[in-house]
Amino acid sequence: MLKVEDWAEIRRLHRAEGVPIKEIARRLGVARNTVRAALSSDRPPKYERAPRGSVVDGYEPQIRALLKEWPRMPAPVIAERIRWPHSMSPLKKRLALLRPEYTGIDPVDRFHYEPGEITQCDLWFPEPKIPVGAGQERILPVLVMTLGFSRYLSAAMIPTRQGGDILSGMWSLISAIGRVTKTLVWDRESAIGGTGRVTAPAAAFAGTLATRIQLAPPRDPEYKGMVERNNLFLETSFLPGRHFASPADFNGQLAEWLVRANSRTVRSIQGRPVDLLETDYLSMLPLPPMAPPIGLNSRIRLARDYYVRVDTVDYSVDPQVIGRFVDVVASPETVTVFCDGQVVARHQRSWAKQAVVADPAHVATAARMRQALALDRRQRETATRHHPDGHAVTLRALPDYDALFGVDFDPTPTKASNE
């Protein structure tokens, strides 16, 4: 096969210097027909190997028959059905070519977002386990939000993926910016819209902010591709080489890193998110004067066990309100208990599991109440009873009454007389 360098030299000699074909063939040591072929070709020679057959070729009719009826049948199942005797690699490569003919191709459009239009939201679960106290370590969710126009990235670790904690995290990140976009995009996160409809707490949150929550189609991660890419960005650029002592330490390191992340130039917008944030901000909706409903909320009657439970953790309450209804409000930072509008307990929230958080003052109050109750019982037992006319009543033993009425409750059997 003629080399590209010889092909170029032949064309140069003949067209630029006017060297005859016979002389070019002599100089380069090639045949005259080779020179003529090089002069007649407008493109450089390219080696093309003749296609060889594949071990999949003989099985392709069976594969197509299966895909026609079950387009999404997994490769291992297809291999089992066709009795595939080789490695899975060539079969998977052929399936990658054949499957779109039966499942169809779903192209993804690129969107242009206007300022203040949209925020994409998602939960990211970093692999490192975070110490949360009580000798426990947990993998905790991180709420990630990305503004559509400026690509401004904000994120924070939250205790759980329950609706109240997610909404608390959203309010914290939105408050830090100072305004909210007209649309908040979520996937089918169970606490936000797992059934395909926005949950009541999420709808109340959006209604208070005068925005809306839009759910992405099922199994369509490209619908919120910006925040998905930022999840990968956090995974590859923030996590490596870091160690975290607590959730607060994680959020502290993350906040410092986000300052640098938002100062980088994003290729898709040819700008820095921190510079474009002002344009985004001016088109956003102002925040309402009062906070939306957030956090974990419950109302229970306080039992004799004067503890309330929030996400598997028990928190003590002033035992003086035992038997009354109390309202429990939990944010990612604190757990507060109210009774008739008065605070009867306030604790720092524990992110551990199955823990007990007790206020020493509550434990001491419960001990005093038990002592007072025991003293009252003893006093009542030793007190002298009186008739309405004032004279004392003697308390007799119960066996005296048995003897008085001739009653015998002794279960010991008596022997029958032989007389």
Side-chain angles (χ1 to χ4, degrees):
M1 178 180 174
L2 186 66
K3 296 181 179 180
V4 176
E5 296 82 356
D6 294 338
W7 173 82
E9 181 65 11
I10 290 172
R11 294 172 65 84
R12 185 191 69 81
L13 291 174
H14 184 71
R15 296 190 176 184
E17 299 184 9
V19 180
I21 292 176
K22 181 178 179 180
E23 178 61 20
I24 294 174
R26 187 188 65 79
R27 290 185 187 182
L28 299 181
V30 297
R32 298 179 186 178
N33 288 338
T34 301
V35 175
R36 293 188 181 95
L39 293 175
S40 61
S41 175
D42 294 331
R43 296 183 179 182
K46 180 180 179 181
Y47 174 73
E48 294 183 0
R49 178 180 296 177
R52 296 186 303 173
S54 170
V55 292
V56 191
D57 293 342
Y59 295 88
E60 184 168 324
Q62 296 175 258
I63 295 173
R64 288 185 176 276
L66 291 173
L67 291 178
K68 185 177 181 180
E69 189 171 357
W70 297 285
R72 300 188 182 279
M73 179 178 286
V77 179
I78 292 178
E80 180 183 355
R81 296 291 179 84
I82 66 176
R83 300 182 183 275
W84 179 251
H86 308 286
S87 68
M88 292 295 295
S89 179
L91 177 60
K92 288 182 177 180
K93 290 180 180 179
R94 182 61 60 91
L95 284 174
L97 297 175
L98 298 180
R99 199 185 296 276
E101 297 181 19
Y102 300 91
T103 60
I105 299 175
D106 183 16
V108 178
D109 293 328
R110 293 195 175 187
F111 294 96
H112 172 73
Y113 297 109
E114 297 297 329
E117 179 182 356
I118 198 170
T119 300
Q120 293 186 2
C121 312
D122 197 18
L123 291 182
W124 167 53
F125 293 86
E127 290 185 0
K129 292 186 175 181
I130 309 298
V132 293
Q136 299 182 26
E137 294 182 339
R138 293 179 57 197
I139 294 178
L140 296 170
V142 176
L143 174 64
V144 183
M145 300 177 66
T146 304
L147 300 183
F149 174 76
S150 63
R151 304 298 199 271
Y152 189 84
L153 171 63
S154 55
M157 179 170 281
I158 57 178
T160 71
R161 62 194 303 177
Q162 296 183 62
D165 286 333
I166 293 176
L167 297 177
S168 295
M170 291 176 65
W171 176 241
S172 176
L173 298 181
I174 290 172
S175 300
I177 295 176
R179 291 195 172 191
V180 64
T181 55
K182 300 176 181 65
T183 302
L184 304 172
V185 176
W186 267 99
D187 56 13
R188 302 301 177 94
E189 179 64 33
S190 59
I192 301 297
T195 62
R197 298 182 60 182
V198 178
T199 61
F205 176 87
T208 305
L209 300 183
T211 183
R212 72 184 182 111
I213 294 179
Q214 179 177 334
L215 299 179
R219 299 178 298 277
D220 190 0
E222 293 89 353
Y223 193 84
K224 52 183 183 61
M226 289 185 297
V227 71
E228 294 285 355
R229 286 191 293 272
N230 277 335
N231 289 349
L232 179 61
F233 181 42
L234 287 162
E235 189 79 35
T236 57
S237 299
F238 169 69
L239 277 187
R242 293 181 182 269
H243 301 279
F244 309 102
S246 65
D249 180 38
F250 183 97
N251 281 333
Q253 294 189 43
L254 179 59
E256 294 179 1
W257 180 84
L258 286 172
V259 174
R260 300 195 304 272
N262 286 317
S263 300
R264 80 194 192 284
T265 299
V266 179
R267 179 178 58 83
S268 60
I269 58 175
Q270 290 300 308
R272 303 192 309 166
V274 69
D275 297 331
L276 298 175
L277 178 61
E278 180 66 21
T279 305
D280 232 349
Y281 179 87
L282 294 176
S283 298
M284 292 183 187
L285 302 173
L287 300 182
M290 62 184 302
I294 57 176
L296 303 178
N297 300 272
S298 61
R299 180 179 175 85
I300 64 169
R301 188 186 296 274
L302 189 64
R304 288 178 56 202
D305 177 13
Y306 52 95
Y307 284 79
V308 295
R309 179 162 293 180
V310 177
D311 185 35
T312 76
V313 178
D314 294 331
Y315 299 86
S316 67
V317 180
D318 188 345
Q320 297 180 90
V321 296
I322 287 176
R324 299 167 64 182
F325 280 103
V326 294
D327 297 295
V328 185
V329 179
S331 71
E333 296 80 23
T334 60
V335 174
T336 308
V337 184
F338 299 90
C339 181
D340 293 335
Q342 300 296 319
V343 177
V344 292
R346 178 175 281 117
H347 300 276
Q348 182 178 355
R349 181 160 176 193
S350 171
W351 290 24
K353 289 288 188 180
Q354 286 80 36
V356 176
V357 180
D359 188 333
H362 298 159
V363 177
T365 300
R368 289 195 301 269
M369 292 173 65
R370 283 191 296 269
Q371 292 173 0
L373 180 61
L375 179 60
D376 181 66
R377 285 176 177 172
R378 287 195 299 269
Q379 290 176 347
R380 283 184 294 170
E381 290 174 357
T382 58
T384 302
R385 298 184 180 183
H386 294 79
H387 275 294
D389 60 4
H391 73 273
V393 178
T394 303
L395 299 180
R396 301 182 67 104
L398 291 179
D400 294 344
Y401 293 98
D402 297 341
L404 177 63
F405 292 101
V407 179
D408 183 9
F409 289 100
D410 185 3
T412 304
T414 58
K415 295 182 178 180
S417 174
N418 295 327
E419 300 180 356

